[in-house]
Amino acid sequence: MDVRSDFALKLQLDHVAEQADDPKVKGALEAVVRHMNSGRSPYRGGRALVTLLKEVRSTAAALDEWQVVRLVQDSLDYAEGRILRPDFEERYRLFQRSTEPLGSHQDYLARTLSATLAFFMQLGGEYLAEHPDAGASEVLTHVKGVAQDARYMQQSQERTGRYRILRGSAEVAAWLEQVFQERVDVEDPEATARRIVMSPESLAVLAADRDGQLLLRAAEVQRRRRGLKTLRTVVEDPGASERDLQRALDGQHWIFGGQFVSQAVQRRLVPGDEVDIPLIRGDGALHIVELKRSMSLKGSLVKRHRGCWVPTAEVHDAVSQAVNYLVGLDEHRQRIRDELGIETRRASALVLIGHPSVQPDVAEEHINEALRTLNTHMSRVEAVTYKELVDNAERALGGWR
């Protein structure tokens, strides 16, 4: 992945330096600037830039300079391409150049917004002309419906350069999009749904197919089996990193059990912390998954203590890390709920760590029993091996017909 380094990043880092208080944080920022100025090109990037920015973030977090942590995270997101340049530049203008005239991006946005509002005013006027007794809520409902249908706008075949919005298209397309996204393996579900909703012939065939549900169910089982096979391969790979495991698990919340209905998009919920996999339970509460290594785990999972097998410090440290995440979620509960709509009061955590093959001299049942004993004494955190997770998911899938 290319790492971006340019004048916009330099300006933003100048602002970060103004927010920093501790000399250690300022020194870490100066190291970033020195790196950017050390190459043949005006702004040197590369993985070294990302590493230095992460060091600034860690230093600031250790010194409780959370404003710097947030700003440096924006720097990282921009450098690694998760924030687009226009958005990044406008964020910079917001806190440095608020008195300047509108830039090109803002001017384009302003003209687009003006035309859009004028269009919706026209829609409201036409609706009131046809329904003079309509109230404000009815007008807004009508405008909202047109806005949803506008995603599937078609070009008129009779009048070149004219476009038409077919009412009711959005509801059908939303259903199709959900079907393709959750039950069928399609690369671009939204585009596929759009093509079908614009094809009356295809839509009629799909609606008339009595075996459609059976086919979709079979396709979902096949998709899950492929995902589970890929996960097992990664779990049993001695060279697999935590990042490899995260990629194999991403988007497969069903593997963790039927009580989870979705996977949250936002992973950075608390300043300074980024959870590996955030899941949403059926009751709307958050459940975080903390990933450790599987076959490449450096230490052991259990040890002998007074005639019994007990979890090692590797397991206890991972559990403690999950507990700290939950404490942070409790402390920021109101903000997370207001800004992201995620409930963290009843949040829980799962720690995935190790594989029985890491300790071939210990029976798998002894390892599982030691972890289960630990889990019975914890109310919000559970620790299991990757193998047990995959085996449980495979058994569940075997009964999913």
Side-chain angles (χ1 to χ4, degrees):
M1 179 182 65
D2 293 334
V3 177
R4 178 166 47 191
S5 177
D6 54 20
F7 183 61
L9 181 60
K10 172 63 168 57
L11 292 178
Q12 197 262 359
L13 289 173
D14 289 343
H15 175 71
V16 177
E18 294 175 1
Q19 302 298 312
D21 293 324
D22 194 280
K24 293 182 179 179
V25 178
K26 290 182 178 291
L29 282 166
E30 289 172 359
V32 176
V33 175
R34 281 197 302 270
H35 170 79
M36 293 175 66
N37 295 333
S38 63
R40 295 181 180 179
S41 61
Y43 304 101
R44 184 182 178 189
R47 299 306 306 175
L49 174 62
V50 174
T51 300
L52 289 170
L53 286 171
K54 288 182 178 179
E55 289 178 2
V56 177
R57 184 180 63 183
S58 299
T59 303
L63 296 168
D64 290 332
E65 293 197 15
W66 297 110
Q67 172 68 0
V68 174
V69 171
R70 183 186 65 80
L71 292 172
V72 173
Q73 184 60 51
D74 286 343
S75 306
L76 278 165
D77 290 341
Y78 178 68
E80 295 184 310
R82 290 186 292 273
I83 296 180
L84 299 178
R85 174 179 289 179
D87 185 29
F88 193 73
E89 290 178 350
E90 295 305 334
R91 289 190 193 184
Y92 174 77
R93 289 173 180 273
L94 285 176
F95 56 71
Q96 287 283 2
R97 302 181 180 178
S98 59
T99 59
E100 289 189 0
L102 289 177
S104 58
H105 299 306
Q106 292 171 298
D107 183 55
Y108 177 78
L109 176 63
R111 287 186 282 108
T112 302
L113 180 60
S114 177
T116 302
L117 292 175
F119 173 69
F120 286 126
M121 285 182 61
Q122 178 185 344
L123 283 177
E126 292 174 353
Y127 185 82
L128 286 173
E130 297 177 4
H131 307 84
D133 298 329
S137 61
E138 295 172 286
V139 175
L140 291 175
T141 299
H142 172 72
V143 171
K144 180 180 178 181
V146 175
Q148 293 171 340
D149 291 330
R151 296 174 60 197
Y152 309 97
M153 184 168 52
Q154 298 183 19
Q155 184 171 354
S156 173
Q157 300 298 318
E158 296 80 15
R159 302 173 65 188
T160 305
R162 304 286 293 186
Y163 300 88
R164 59 185 180 181
I165 299 175
L166 301 181
R167 298 307 313 279
S169 299
E171 185 174 1
V172 176
W175 174 76
L176 287 170
E177 184 177 336
Q178 183 179 14
V179 167
F180 283 115
Q181 188 136 28
E182 298 178 358
R183 309 178 196 175
V184 181
D185 211 14
V186 179
E187 290 187 1
D188 190 346
E190 183 177 347
T192 303
R194 185 180 292 108
R195 285 198 300 273
I196 290 181
V197 79
M198 292 182 178
S199 171
E201 296 81 5
S202 299
L203 187 59
V205 171
L206 182 63
D209 185 6
R210 296 180 179 179
D211 297 325
Q213 291 186 356
L214 181 61
L215 292 173
L216 291 173
R217 194 175 183 86
E220 173 65 6
V221 172
Q222 185 182 34
R223 184 187 71 83
R224 292 188 177 187
R225 288 195 186 282
R226 285 199 302 268
L228 195 57
K229 181 179 179 181
T230 299
L231 176 61
R232 186 179 287 278
T233 300
V234 177
V235 164
E236 296 176 351
D237 181 4
S241 65
E242 293 177 16
R243 178 60 180 157
D244 296 328
L245 292 162
Q246 184 175 2
R247 280 195 293 264
L249 283 165
D250 193 41
Q252 300 199 78
H253 63 269
W254 70 271
I255 287 177
F256 298 96
Q259 69 269 39
F260 303 110
V261 297
S262 66
Q263 178 175 330
V265 176
Q266 179 63 257
R267 293 172 52 204
R268 187 154 55 98
L269 303 170
V270 176
D273 288 338
E274 187 171 86
V275 300
D276 291 329
I277 300 178
L279 302 176
I280 304 299
R281 299 201 307 255
D283 61 357
L286 180 70
H287 181 86
I288 63 174
V289 180
E290 174 61 23
L291 304 180
K292 297 302 177 184
R293 291 178 180 266
S294 178
M295 287 291 292
S296 60
L297 188 70
K298 294 181 179 179
S300 57
L301 286 167
V302 296
K303 64 180 182 180
R304 201 72 175 169
H305 180 70
R306 296 186 177 181
C308 299
W309 292 105
V310 297
T312 63
E314 290 277 349
V315 176
H316 285 291
D317 288 348
V319 169
S320 297
Q321 184 178 352
V323 170
N324 288 336
Y325 285 157
L326 294 178
V327 171
L329 292 172
D330 289 341
E331 292 175 348
H332 293 82
R333 178 211 171 213
Q334 192 65 42
R335 178 186 60 79
I336 295 172
R337 188 175 64 175
D338 293 342
E339 296 181 3
L340 304 175
I342 298 176
E343 177 56 66
T344 62
R345 168 173 283 177
R346 302 180 307 280
S348 52
L350 171 69
V351 175
L352 287 176
I353 182 170
H355 191 285
S357 297
V358 172
Q359 288 183 268
D361 56 328
V362 182
E364 181 178 343
E365 54 266 30
H366 292 331
I367 295 175
N368 291 340
E369 183 178 352
L371 294 181
R372 288 169 189 160
T373 301
L374 173 67
N375 293 336
T376 58
H377 293 81
M378 298 185 296
S379 61
R380 299 175 65 184
V381 182
E382 180 184 11
V384 301
T385 66
Y386 283 92
K387 185 177 187 301
E388 186 172 9
L389 174 76
V390 174
D391 289 347
N392 290 343
E394 199 164 66
R395 284 191 290 268
L397 192 58
W400 207 71
R401 296 286 187 264

